[in-house]
Amino acid sequence: MRPTAIAAPLLAYCTACAQTPPTDDSLYRAWGGEAGIRAVMEDFVPRLFTDPRTARFFERVDRNNLVARLTEQLCKEAGGPCAYTGAAMKPVHADLGIGKRDFNALVEILQQAMDARGIPFPAQNRMLARLAPMHRQIITPVSDSQQHP
Ligand code: HEM
């Protein structure tokens, strides 16, 4: 056997290793992969647009874009093979005046969507734990003092 016949598959293997380091994709799989995540986002986003606690934020927002960006983001957060192509969390939410109460409302609405789509409870909690730290980039302190009690 010529040396290149051995070297070629080895090289292909090592290239793949370098490009895709092993990740824990158990949460991604528990959500049913990208299709499962998209199904939850397709349930979640219309709720955000109609829930009286959050509707005002989404009046001029492109619904399909939001579903697509959230699907990418949650896929990536869950360890799936997705790239997030949207804007960074801080600038995109900076001028919206989002308070703690608004953030908590969004989490409750996400829980409704996850329940509706049958995401197992532990997988719900694991995803929420990955999203929760983002509140620092999303809540703007001034908006809390502007809120009614
Ligand atoms: C962990 C919580 C949150 C995550 C992961 C998240 C994620 C995202 C993502 C991925 C986008 C799309 C960015 C793009 O189009 O490039 C977005 C946009 C947006 N988010 Fe959030 N978000 C969160 C919390 C909230 C909350 C609490 C509100 C308000 C109640 C909110 C309101 C909005 C609005 C109005 C937009 C559209 C902004 C625009 O198009 O200019 N988000 N968010």
Side-chain angles (χ1 to χ4, degrees):
M1 195 188 281
R2 284 177 294 124
T4 46
I6 302 166
L10 269 180
L11 188 66
Y13 171 76
C14 292
T15 307
C17 282
Q19 283 170 355
T20 51
T23 53
D24 174 9
D25 68 351
S26 60
L27 182 55
Y28 173 72
R29 286 184 280 108
W31 272 62
E34 196 177 339
I37 294 168
R38 180 173 296 110
V40 177
M41 295 303 103
E42 282 172 349
D43 193 302
F44 172 53
V45 168
R47 290 176 192 264
L48 282 179
F49 279 60
T50 50
D51 191 292
R53 295 169 295 173
T54 51
R56 71 183 186 283
F57 291 101
F58 296 95
E59 275 163 9
R60 275 175 289 280
V61 173
D62 178 341
R63 190 182 290 227
N64 292 335
N65 173 67
L66 192 57
V67 169
R69 300 292 79 75
L70 283 169
T71 300
E72 290 172 354
Q73 193 186 35
L74 269 68
C75 173
K76 189 170 162 250
E77 290 297 325
C82 305
Y84 174 62
T85 64
M89 289 295 97
K90 195 160 187 168
V92 88
H93 296 97
D95 297 331
L96 299 176
I98 297 170
K100 262 188 210 159
R101 195 169 315 180
D102 307 317
F103 190 89
N104 290 340
L106 177 135
V107 170
E108 274 180 39
I109 295 164
L110 178 56
Q111 284 169 326
Q112 291 170 3
M114 294 188 294
D115 281 342
R117 294 291 166 155
I119 301 297
F121 198 55
Q124 294 192 14
N125 283 340
R126 285 179 66 197
M127 185 67 86
L128 290 175
R130 305 224 177 158
L131 299 180
M134 293 182 191
H135 76 266
R136 290 185 203 94
Q137 290 140 275
I138 289 167
I139 293 171
T140 39
V142 64
S143 54
D144 281 333
S145 59
Q146 284 168 355
Q147 283 188 351
H148 301 295

